[in-house]
């Protein structure tokens, strides 16, 4: 299929996936608010980005911030010049799971928002 044909479907699929993720994250935050004790495990993780274009970096940073329980703190450059995001995460049990979820979001975003998509 041509990228022109698949582009709207990839955008719609990503929008639906992101909406479900926001609902799941909102439920985790709400459960933590309404119950006794705290289930949060706050941490800051350094996420190396695959995104190279400024628009993609801005978009992934915004998507992370829009997801309840996560917040983009800033963009830095690594030693090799690659961009990294500093992300505050509240509900991941460890840094590895936080990075895995964040990388999954970036991969899905790049697949949806690049003209030819990513496989």
């Amino acid at each position: 299929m041509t990228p022109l044909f698949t582009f709207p479907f990839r955008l719609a699929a990503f929008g639906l996936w992101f909406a479900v993720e926001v609902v799941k994250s909102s439920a985790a935050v709400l459960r933590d608010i309404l119950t006794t004790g705290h289930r949060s495990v706050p941490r800051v993780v350094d996420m190396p980005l695959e995104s190279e274009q400024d628009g993609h970096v801005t978009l992934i940073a915004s998507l992370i911030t829009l997801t309840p329980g996560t917040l983009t703190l800033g963009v830095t450059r690594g030693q090799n010049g690659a961009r990294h995001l500093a992300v505050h995460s509240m509900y991941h049990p460890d840094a590895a799971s936080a990075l895995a979820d964040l990388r999954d979001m970036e991969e899905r975003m790049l697949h949806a928002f690049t003209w030819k998509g990513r496989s």
Side-chain angles (χ1 to χ4, degrees):
M1 288 192 199
T2 64
L4 180 61
F5 181 73
T6 63
F7 187 69
F9 296 106
R10 288 184 281 126
L11 283 175
F14 178 78
L16 181 62
W17 174 83
F18 186 70
V20 169
E21 291 299 309
V22 167
V23 169
K24 287 182 353 186
S25 298
S26 297
V29 172
L30 185 61
R31 182 177 40 238
D32 201 18
I33 292 169
L34 295 177
T35 59
T36 58
H38 294 287
R39 291 191 171 115
S40 64
V41 185
R43 71 182 74 254
V44 175
V45 294
D46 182 43
M47 175 189 171
L49 291 174
E50 290 186 32
S51 303
E52 296 174 0
Q53 296 180 2
D54 291 343
H56 290 157
V57 173
T58 302
L59 182 58
I60 191 63
S62 298
L63 290 168
I64 289 169
T65 298
L66 285 171
T67 307
T70 57
L71 176 68
T72 301
L73 301 174
V75 180
T76 60
R77 292 245 183 219
Q79 293 177 352
N80 59 356
R83 293 179 186 173
H84 293 238
L85 282 183
V87 179
H88 184 267
S89 169
M90 292 290 294
Y91 294 100
H92 289 96
D94 55 29
S97 66
L99 284 174
D101 284 352
L102 294 169
R103 285 188 181 125
D104 179 52
M105 181 185 288
E106 183 184 27
E107 279 297 318
R108 289 173 185 268
M109 183 269 308
L110 288 172
H111 179 71
F113 284 90
T114 54
W115 185 248
K116 293 184 180 180
R118 292 172 59 122
S119 51

